[in-house]
């Protein structure tokens, strides 16, 4: 079984080796300081169910590093949530915020729960309990949660509301809120939009005129990426969700598929598209994993037919699969770069909350594209210069800044 945190650390260690960090700064325990998070918060969430019974859930918040600013990272509700997964996600947030130049550190939280099995009232009670237990550990200058898999604007509203009950009215305590309570325009679409911007940069560099795309996941990331691709005239030929996948080589009508998914809760049963079993192995030029981690493995990598992978999800590719794909000449746009659009616009939301002045959508989108494109070009240039993968380039650039802050700040 692949261990997400060990996998994440393996890539960091390889990038550190590439930069010669341990040799340049002997005795500074740099990798150890990244391996062990600043703070691990693990607690019991006891939920009173609608029928009066009690169910207990494991809850986590990992504050990985605040070297570059307050902790920042989403909250995941999924049955597979465990310590290793949340630690990996926290580490990736530290790397991601560094790579795209945000004044934040990295964190992640989650609950090992399947929210689809709870009523709305039960989810609300669980979110409020989770927030209450963390009320001393979060705050606009301390740790700022956001949505991830299984959570969204609704949960962020409850976090904000619970925090204001016990602390103050600071809207900047959480991002990914609805617009009416201080969310940013463009946040909902930001991760998908950023992913498409990075993909388009790569297509230009590769000189591809045409590109067919397959997307795993049709949630906050996958659906918005699909809609953006469709709007830009790029063919989305296959889409999958937890229930299955559909395919049309001529290109799916994504706005109609989004409507179908919103009404039925799944992409399955969509008129005019054929159900398929193997989304990862389907015929396409670019594959966008936008669901779970660890889906591109040594087992699935050999059957991937795409020549380009843009990682909307966090950690979709295991290090073993990475090596297989590299040998097969498949180019990967790594997660900490490709899905950074969400945290970039979360940063804009935090800035707007603190300024009390809200921007127009054009300004948000322009700033997002500028920031993520700049990061893409830095990664590309580093990869070309050093002859390394984009993943190692992205990790190395992120690490350079983190290590500089670590050395400048002394022993934390
Ligand atoms: P979401 O809960 O909104 O959507 C998840 C999607 O994945 C759903 O369509 C679900 O049906 C599908 N899915 C779940 N299990 C699956 C399976 N076994 N096979 C195929 N599909 C499956 O989550 P999201 O916010 O879109 O996040 C997706 C990924 O993107 C996660 O890895 C998350 O960490 C990452 N991410 C999210 C954001 C963000 O802003 N939401 C930002 C950066 C990265």
């Amino acid at each position: 079984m692949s261990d997400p945190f060990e996998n994440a650390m393996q890539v960091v260690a390889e990038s550190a080796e590439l930069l010669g960090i341990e040799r340049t700064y002997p005795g500074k325990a740099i990798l150890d300081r990244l391996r062990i998070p600043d703070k691990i918060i693990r607690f019991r969430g006891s939920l009173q169910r609608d029928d009066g019974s009690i169910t207990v859930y494991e809850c986590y918040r990992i504050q990985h590093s605040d070297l570059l600013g307050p902790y920042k990272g989403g909250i995941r509700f999924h049955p597979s949530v465990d310590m290793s997964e949340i630690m990996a996600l926290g580490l990736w947030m530290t790397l991601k915020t560094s790579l795209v130049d945000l004044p934040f550190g990295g964190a992640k939280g989650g609950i090992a729960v399947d929210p689809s099995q709870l009523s709305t009232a039960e989810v609300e009670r669980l979110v409020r309990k989770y927030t209450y237990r963390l009320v001393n550990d979060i705050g606009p200058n301390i740790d700022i949660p956001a949505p991830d898999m299984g959570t969204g604007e609704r949960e962020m509203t409850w976090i904000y509301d619970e925090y204001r009950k016990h602390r103050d009215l600071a809207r900047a305590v959480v991002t990914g809120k609805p617009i009416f309570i201080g969310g940013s325009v463009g946040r909902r679409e930001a991760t998908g939009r950023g992913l498409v911007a990075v993909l388009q940069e790569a297509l230009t560099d590769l000189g591809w005129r045409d590109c067919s795309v397959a997307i795993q996941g049709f949630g906050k990331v996958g659906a918005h990426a699909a809609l953006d691709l469709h709007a830009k005239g790029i063919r989305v030929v296959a889409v999958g969700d937890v229930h299955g996948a559909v395919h049309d080589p001529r290109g799916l009508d994504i706005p109609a598929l989004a409507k179908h998914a919103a009404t039925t809760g799944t992409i399955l049963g969509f008129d005019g598209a054929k159900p398929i079993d193997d989304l990862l192995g389907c015929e396409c030029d670019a594959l966008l994993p936008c669901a779970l981690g660890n889906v591109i493995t040594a087992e699935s990598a050999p059957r991937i037919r795409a020549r380009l992978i843009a990682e909307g999800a966090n950690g979709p590719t295991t290090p073993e699969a990475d090596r297989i794909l590299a040998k097969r000449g498949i180019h990967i746009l790594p997660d900490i770069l490709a899905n950074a659009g969400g945290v970039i616009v979360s940063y804009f939301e935090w800035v707007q909350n603190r300024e009390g002045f809200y921007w127009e959508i054009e300004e948000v989108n322009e700033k997002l594209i500028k920031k993520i494109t700049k990061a893409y070009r830095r990664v590309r240039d580093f990869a070309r210069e050093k002859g390394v993968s984009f993943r190692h380039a992205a990790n190395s650039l992120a690490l350079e800044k983190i290590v500089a802050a670590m050395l400048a700040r002394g022993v934390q």
Side-chain angles (χ1 to χ4, degrees):
M1 189 55 194
S2 198
D3 182 295
F5 185 67
E6 286 311 316
N7 288 347
M9 272 312 293
Q10 190 180 322
V11 178
V12 169
E14 286 164 8
S15 299
E17 178 64 29
L18 187 78
L19 294 171
I21 285 175
E22 295 285 325
R23 286 190 299 281
T24 315
Y25 309 108
K28 297 288 181 192
I30 286 173
L31 282 180
D32 286 344
R33 285 199 260 174
L34 290 170
R35 177 176 288 280
I36 301 174
D38 288 356
K39 191 169 178 181
I40 294 176
I41 309 167
R42 181 179 188 174
F43 54 99
R44 184 186 67 246
S46 310
L47 171 70
Q48 178 148 42
R49 307 296 294 271
D50 294 343
D51 66 4
S53 65
I54 291 170
T55 309
V56 170
Y57 297 101
E58 290 240 42
C59 304
Y60 304 87
R61 184 73 182 166
I62 301 291
Q63 296 179 331
H64 179 263
S65 165
D66 68 350
L67 277 165
L68 297 173
Y71 302 106
K72 184 89 192 82
I75 294 174
R76 177 174 290 195
F77 283 7
H78 194 276
S80 75
V81 160
D82 63 17
M83 184 65 102
S84 173
E85 182 179 72
I86 299 295
M87 296 246 296
L89 289 161
L91 167 63
W92 286 323
M93 284 307 295
T94 300
L95 296 165
K96 195 181 302 182
T97 52
S98 169
L99 177 66
V100 295
D101 271 330
L102 303 180
F104 289 136
K108 205 79 178 192
I111 305 182
V113 60
D114 180 355
S116 70
Q117 301 302 309
L118 301 182
S119 70
T120 302
E122 288 171 339
V123 177
E124 177 173 353
R125 284 199 290 280
L126 191 57
V127 171
R128 288 187 184 278
K129 178 153 276 185
Y130 179 85
T131 310
Y132 176 66
R133 295 291 295 269
L134 287 175
V135 82
N136 293 322
D137 293 290
I138 59 173
N141 292 316
I142 304 169
D143 182 353
I144 308 119
D148 192 79
M149 274 186 87
T151 62
E153 292 179 13
R154 185 183 69 167
E155 286 74 16
M156 301 308 112
T157 305
W158 291 328
I159 292 175
Y160 166 64
D161 194 60
E162 193 64 21
Y163 183 80
R164 64 177 280 171
K165 264 199 243 163
H166 301 286
R167 286 291 176 271
D168 56 41
L169 302 182
R171 289 175 152 190
V173 64
V174 60
T175 60
K177 301 180 292 293
I179 290 164
F180 56 84
I181 56 160
S184 177
V185 287
R187 172 63 184 89
R188 198 177 285 169
E189 303 84 2
T191 311
R193 186 168 276 145
L195 181 62
V196 173
V198 168
L199 178 70
Q200 284 189 299
E201 282 288 310
L203 294 181
T204 306
D205 284 344
L206 293 164
W208 293 5
R209 290 244 186 87
D210 188 36
C211 178
S212 60
V213 179
I215 306 179
Q216 183 190 48
F218 202 61
K220 293 185 293 297
V221 180
H224 287 293
L227 286 163
D228 199 23
L229 287 166
H230 184 83
K232 293 188 161 116
I234 301 176
R235 236 171 350 123
V236 180
V237 293
V239 169
D241 68 10
V242 69
H243 305 288
V246 292
H247 181 253
D248 183 346
R250 295 164 304 169
L252 295 158
D253 179 348
I254 299 296
L257 180 63
K259 269 197 199 129
H260 170 83
T263 353
T264 65
T266 175
I267 49 134
L268 283 183
F270 179 59
D271 261 359
K274 212 170 63 145
I276 51 165
D277 290 332
D278 185 17
L279 179 105
L280 294 178
C282 81
E283 182 72 50
C284 63
D285 299 312
L287 174 66
L288 275 51
C290 298
L292 299 170
N294 276 346
V295 290
I296 304 179
T297 60
E299 186 271 315
S300 59
R303 58 171 209 273
I304 286 177
R305 286 194 261 177
R307 292 171 293 151
L308 176 62
I309 295 175
E311 297 180 334
N314 285 305
T317 313
T318 65
E320 248 185 319
D322 235 355
R323 285 187 280 276
I324 296 170
L325 297 170
K327 274 200 195 123
R328 295 186 55 210
I330 298 171
H331 182 41
I332 302 183
L333 304 170
D335 47 8
I336 62 167
L337 168 67
N339 71 31
V343 71
I344 292 174
V345 178
S346 270
Y347 165 58
F348 297 161
E349 180 175 334
W350 181 79
V351 169
Q352 292 170 77
N353 289 161
R354 293 162 74 100
E355 279 182 334
F357 180 77
Y358 289 82
W359 312 347
E360 300 292 334
I361 185 72
E362 292 77 14
E363 188 175 356
V364 170
N365 286 341
E366 188 195 318
K367 286 188 159 83
L368 161 64
I369 301 302
K370 196 168 164 190
K371 222 173 193 359
I372 204 156
T373 305
K374 189 172 162 197
Y376 169 89
R377 293 180 184 162
R378 283 174 58 232
V379 170
R380 176 200 59 197
D381 294 348
F382 187 99
R384 280 183 184 161
E385 193 192 318
K386 307 276 183 198
V388 297
S389 69
F390 271 39
R391 190 178 316 280
H392 281 119
N395 273 269
S396 301
L397 286 166
L399 271 179
E400 274 179 346
K401 223 165 82 190
I402 293 164
V403 171
M406 206 182 264
L407 295 169
R409 287 180 52 175
V411 185
Q412 335 77 24

